[in-house]
Amino acid sequence: MKLVSARVQHFRSIVDSDTVDIDEHVTVVIGKNEQGKTTFLRGIASFSPAITYSANDLPQHMRPNLETQPRNEIPIVTLCFSVDESEKLDLKDLIHDTGAIIKGFKITRYYDGHYAYSLISEENAEQTIGVNKPDITALIEELKLSAVQLKSKLLEHVSRLPAFGPHKAQADQHLATFLAADFSAVDQIENLIKTLSTALGGVPGQDQPIQNELALTSKQLQTILVRIRQTLDTPNPLQKLLDIIPKFVFHSTSIDRIPNEVNLNDFIKDPEGTSRGMANLCRAAGLSIQKIQSLASSTTDVNTREAYEDHYKSAISGAINEFWSQENYTVSFRFENTRLSVSVSDEKYGRRIAPSERSEGFQWYLSFYCTLLNEASSSTPLVLLLDNPGLELHSDGQRDIKKSLEDKHSVSAQVIYVTHSPAMIDPYRLEQVRQVELMPEFQGTKVKKLSPKSPEDLDLLEPVRSAIGASLITSLAYNKKNILVEGAADTQIILGAVLALHKEWEGKLVVNGSVSESSYLLPLFFEKACISYVVYLDSDNGGRHIKTNLLRHKVPEVKIIELRDVMGDDYHQGADIELEDIISIEDYYSAVVAAYPNNKEIERMPTGESKKQTKFYRDFFKKKQYGSFTKTVVAAILKKKLEQGSFSEDTKGNLQKLLKKFSEALQL
């Protein structure tokens, strides 16, 4: 299950963030100070049921009005999730009666902490899912009936035993309190029954028959309670959805910081409560509490203790250095009677140093890595929320963090982080970036994709501007030419074509993007820096929209290459075309089959079909219920086939036409 969008409302500086698209892997949140970037992350993190809201979480100017409204009517965070085919199968009990093809779920958490659930169809229609709690109304009525019957029987006992008469009013009061209780609070029913039984047992004037009557009623109530529990334990289809919702982890430097040492007795009793940072470090090294206890008690066996210290030192140090290129560090443990301590050494200075004496940057990295390693080991999908990761690190260290997030952690989790640093922004993945701005007139914080009002209005986007500038300087130093493509799939195909047909261009040419996500920003930065580039666009609605936007922002038309200009007006019967359509039908079919080996009997698109190839296979996969068809997956296969020379003359001729156009425009 993937998070696809988030909306935060009525939370601190945020009145309504609007719906914010979340990248499948990494989302980068930027903006000036005091705009609400961290608040947006904390708003998403508050989706966790472990977090409770207070009046201080409401926007200050709205608080007087909101506090008069029912808490269960104030939405705080709304998240939309996509589901894959296997998850749909697991959730069939929830979705089988909808009559629609389901693509995901929308879940809103309210100020009182409750959740509301909706199904989202392929047409983006929503259908509310009720939380189908088991009906225990009849059982509650049985409980009350038992109490009413006891009241009548006690009246009969008064006739038999007049000495009990003066005390019956006390028993009646206990029964009345029980009957007036709120049985909808099902977790309190057991306490209500126990309280009634105890209170009745203390009523004076009882003899053995009355005590037998009270015991019989108590037994009846306990039997009904068992039946209530059995009913409540009936499997709820909604629970399967709750089980696959990602876990949200907000990394806090203060809470997750790793101390120099901990008291062993305290740490063994409550690792998380004593130090979450040390607990994370030990688990990352594979060091269990049981083993710590064992080694601490073996202080007389120095050889055994030191052997284990060396073992766990190797385990944690190797993992940490995997994505830390600044220095090779060694993290060491020391087991003693009353304490567990940790120290860090490096290649330049072999002496062991306590973590607190290391740089702020390394302390952050150590706690960050151990936290992520612990959370990523869970089978539950994760969304990692990081506030200014690596803020204390210099640019090389920050690039290590960025590489770690991109290459390792985004494989098993989605990552959303706030940054002010250019080193934490990939200039060729501007589609990852979301900008945050605090709006005037009590509108609160808004979060959206990059959209400066004019080319000059880039103050809010300073980190992006710096990142782009650094990238362009590198390009200029190496005299590289640039093809800015429309999408990720285009990058793969064009790179494959270059390697297959113009190997000599390698080192002179960079293919990157995607322009469809970054709008006019990426070409505009290249234009302002006077770097040699062209923009490639498909000849379809998407390409035409991008071209209009580029021209409006003064990108020269001569630097925009449309596919129709390359292939001619009559190609593909004059219909819209995209890059995949200049690959022969047979070559593209072969790549689709190779990309989806588990989907049997994939049909080849008929010759003469005017439909786009990607649309044909997308429709075919939907019809056959093969799951989603992703053209970037097929493009990666095409790239390999092109490099290997596994393509037809038709494909070769079409690609040569396109590369010739690039060559002329870039003077290759």
Side-chain angles (χ1 to χ4, degrees):
M1 179 174 271
K2 290 283 189 180
L3 177 64
V4 295
S5 69
R7 180 184 182 187
V8 178
Q9 298 170 267
H10 311 116
F11 187 74
R12 304 184 187 181
S13 70
I14 301 177
V15 176
D16 186 348
S17 69
D18 294 333
T19 299
V20 182
D21 292 337
I22 303 299
D23 189 87
E24 185 178 3
H25 300 293
V26 176
T27 302
V28 184
V29 181
I30 67 170
K32 299 177 185 177
N33 289 322
E34 301 296 321
Q35 299 297 300
K37 301 182 297 298
T38 301
T39 298
F40 179 63
L41 288 196
R42 290 193 177 277
I44 296 175
S46 75
F47 186 80
S48 170
I51 294 176
T52 57
Y53 299 115
S54 69
N56 290 331
D57 290 319
L58 300 173
Q60 196 68 24
H61 69 284
M62 300 179 70
R63 184 169 166 179
N65 180 48
L66 289 173
E67 287 188 321
T68 65
Q69 299 180 25
R71 292 170 63 93
N72 64 351
E73 295 180 5
I74 304 174
I76 300 293
V77 55
T78 300
L79 305 180
C80 291
F81 301 92
S82 64
V83 287
D84 61 28
E85 293 304 314
S86 64
E87 290 167 335
K88 290 179 184 178
L89 188 62
D90 290 339
L91 299 170
K92 62 181 184 299
D93 292 341
L94 274 179
I95 65 180
H96 74 285
D97 290 331
T98 63
I101 298 175
I102 300 304
K103 73 174 184 179
F105 293 87
K106 176 180 176 181
I107 307 175
T108 300
R109 191 174 192 223
Y110 287 79
Y111 184 41
D112 68 338
H114 91 277
Y115 297 84
Y117 305 86
S118 299
L119 295 167
I120 304 175
S121 72
E122 290 285 357
E123 292 75 28
N124 290 320
E126 294 181 23
Q127 179 176 329
T128 301
I129 308 171
V131 181
N132 298 319
K133 294 182 179 179
D135 187 3
I136 58 171
T137 305
L139 293 171
I140 297 299
E141 291 304 314
E142 286 188 40
L143 286 175
K144 293 180 178 180
L145 180 60
S146 294
V148 171
Q149 290 173 341
L150 177 61
K151 184 177 181 181
S152 298
K153 291 176 181 177
L154 290 178
L155 182 60
E156 295 173 4
H157 283 292
V158 170
S159 301
R160 181 187 60 80
L161 184 65
F164 181 66
H167 307 291
K168 182 179 179 295
Q170 184 178 344
D172 288 346
Q173 182 60 49
H174 293 318
L175 289 168
T177 301
F178 178 78
L179 290 169
D182 179 12
F183 289 93
S184 65
V186 293
D187 57 331
Q188 296 298 316
I189 293 177
E190 180 179 8
N191 180 261
L192 291 171
I193 293 173
K194 185 175 181 179
T195 301
L196 176 64
S197 299
T198 302
L200 290 174
V203 175
Q206 301 179 32
D207 62 0
Q208 191 61 48
I210 293 177
Q211 290 174 1
N212 292 341
E213 199 75 67
L214 295 180
L216 179 61
T217 299
S218 179
K219 185 176 180 180
Q220 289 175 345
L221 295 176
Q222 289 295 332
T223 301
I224 297 170
L225 176 61
V226 170
R227 291 164 57 199
I228 289 173
R229 286 173 173 166
Q230 291 172 341
T231 303
L232 293 175
D233 287 342
T234 302
N236 183 357
L238 188 60
Q239 186 59 47
K240 292 184 178 180
L241 173 61
L242 301 179
D243 290 342
I244 63 173
I245 291 174
K247 177 182 179 182
F248 291 82
V249 178
F250 187 94
H251 177 261
S252 166
T253 302
S254 59
I255 295 175
D256 296 316
R257 187 180 295 276
I258 295 171
N260 298 340
E261 62 180 50
V262 291
N263 179 279
L264 263 179
N265 290 331
D266 295 339
F267 188 65
I268 289 170
K269 289 178 184 176
D270 184 9
E272 294 284 338
T274 303
S275 171
R276 195 166 84 179
M278 184 67 85
N280 286 338
L281 180 67
C282 290
R283 282 193 293 266
L287 184 56
S288 68
I289 294 298
Q290 187 179 49
K291 177 56 71 174
I292 292 172
Q293 196 169 17
S294 171
L295 292 172
S297 62
S298 303
T299 52
T300 56
D301 188 353
V302 177
N303 291 334
T304 298
R305 191 189 68 214
E306 290 184 349
Y308 275 100
E309 287 175 353
D310 288 342
H311 167 75
Y312 289 113
K313 172 180 68 177
S314 300
I316 187 62
S317 301
I320 286 176
N321 289 320
E322 182 179 0
F323 283 98
W324 180 267
S325 65
Q326 308 313 300
E327 182 68 77
N328 280 321
Y329 288 95
T330 300
V331 180
S332 303
F333 295 95
R334 174 70 67 184
F335 308 102
E336 298 175 287
N337 271 328
T338 60
R339 64 175 188 160
L340 167 64
S341 59
V342 63
S343 58
V344 184
S345 57
D346 59 59
E347 291 178 330
K348 293 180 181 177
Y349 186 64
R351 180 172 170 268
R352 294 182 178 187
I353 299 175
S356 64
E357 297 179 34
R358 287 285 175 182
S359 69
E360 289 288 324
F362 180 76
Q363 288 184 64
W364 179 90
Y365 183 81
L366 187 61
S367 72
F368 158 81
Y369 186 83
C370 291
T371 298
L372 264 59
L373 195 62
N374 274 271
E375 299 296 348
S377 64
S378 168
S379 59
T380 305
L382 296 174
V383 177
L384 302 171
L385 305 164
L386 309 176
D387 188 17
N388 272 310
L391 180 64
E392 301 89 347
L393 300 173
H394 58 77
S395 59
D396 286 344
Q398 290 177 349
R399 277 188 281 271
D400 283 339
I401 298 296
K402 175 70 172 172
K403 177 177 172 57
S404 176
L405 294 174
E406 292 281 3
D407 295 351
K408 183 170 184 177
H409 300 296
S410 68
V411 174
S412 58
Q414 288 175 271
V415 182
I416 307 174
Y417 64 81
V418 164
T419 190
H420 291 284
S421 170
M424 294 296 293
I425 298 172
D426 188 334
Y428 300 121
R429 293 182 178 176
L430 294 182
E431 67 274 11
Q432 295 179 342
V433 180
R434 304 292 179 267
Q435 66 183 68
V436 175
E437 186 174 5
L438 185 61
M439 307 301 290
E441 299 178 0
F442 300 108
Q443 296 177 69
T445 295
K446 296 291 184 182
V447 186
K448 55 189 175 181
K449 290 187 176 181
L450 294 177
S451 57
K453 300 176 181 64
S454 70
E456 290 73 27
D457 185 23
L458 296 175
D459 184 28
L460 182 64
L461 307 180
E462 178 58 34
V464 173
R465 181 166 57 181
S466 300
I468 293 288
S471 175
L472 293 184
I473 290 170
T474 301
S475 297
L476 183 63
Y478 287 96
N479 195 32
K480 291 177 179 175
K481 310 287 185 175
N482 298 272
I483 301 173
L484 307 183
V485 300
E486 186 172 338
D490 299 336
T491 302
Q492 298 287 328
I493 296 172
I494 292 175
L495 278 174
V498 169
L499 294 172
L501 302 174
H502 284 286
K503 186 73 174 176
E504 72 277 8
W505 290 0
E506 194 173 8
K508 299 180 181 179
L509 180 69
V510 173
V511 182
N512 52 47
S514 70
V515 176
S516 63
E517 295 290 348
S518 61
S519 186
Y520 62 86
L521 284 171
L522 194 59
L524 188 61
F525 279 122
F526 275 77
E527 181 67 25
K528 294 291 184 181
C530 299
I531 304 299
S532 179
Y533 76 97
V534 293
V535 179
Y536 164 79
L537 299 176
D538 293 331
S539 292
D540 57 11
N541 287 336
R544 287 187 285 271
H545 174 75
I546 293 171
K547 182 176 181 179
T548 299
N549 206 19
L550 293 176
L551 294 176
R552 184 165 60 245
H553 288 89
K554 312 303 182 187
V555 174
E557 187 169 8
V558 70
K559 296 186 178 181
I560 303 172
I561 295 178
E562 291 185 85
L563 188 56
R564 176 64 65 194
D565 295 336
V566 178
M567 303 308 298
D569 293 337
D570 296 331
Y571 187 80
H572 211 252
Q573 303 177 40
D576 282 356
I577 51 174
E578 59 185 359
L579 186 58
E580 288 82 358
D581 295 319
I582 70 172
I583 305 297
S584 74
I585 289 176
E586 192 60 45
D587 286 342
Y588 198 75
Y589 169 71
S590 174
V592 172
V593 171
Y596 295 96
N598 295 326
N599 293 339
K600 307 301 181 185
E601 300 179 355
I602 297 177
E603 292 181 6
R604 173 186 176 277
M605 189 173 88
T607 302
E609 174 71 66
S610 61
K611 183 185 290 187
K612 292 180 181 178
Q613 295 207 71
T614 56
K615 179 167 176 40
F616 172 84
Y617 288 108
R618 191 175 292 115
D619 292 346
F620 177 78
F621 273 47
K622 185 175 181 180
K623 176 183 175 183
K624 291 289 186 178
Q625 297 184 344
Y626 281 169
S628 60
F629 172 81
T630 307
K631 67 180 188 177
T632 52
V633 175
V634 181
I637 299 294
L638 273 173
K639 179 176 179 289
K640 291 180 181 178
K641 286 180 174 291
L642 290 168
E643 289 182 72
Q644 295 165 358
S646 302
F647 53 89
S648 66
E649 287 298 317
D650 285 345
T651 297
K652 178 180 179 180
N654 291 338
L655 291 175
Q656 282 179 329
K657 287 182 181 179
L658 181 62
L659 295 184
K660 181 181 179 183
K661 193 76 171 180
F662 290 151
S663 176
E664 293 170 350
L666 295 170
Q667 299 179 356
L668 286 166

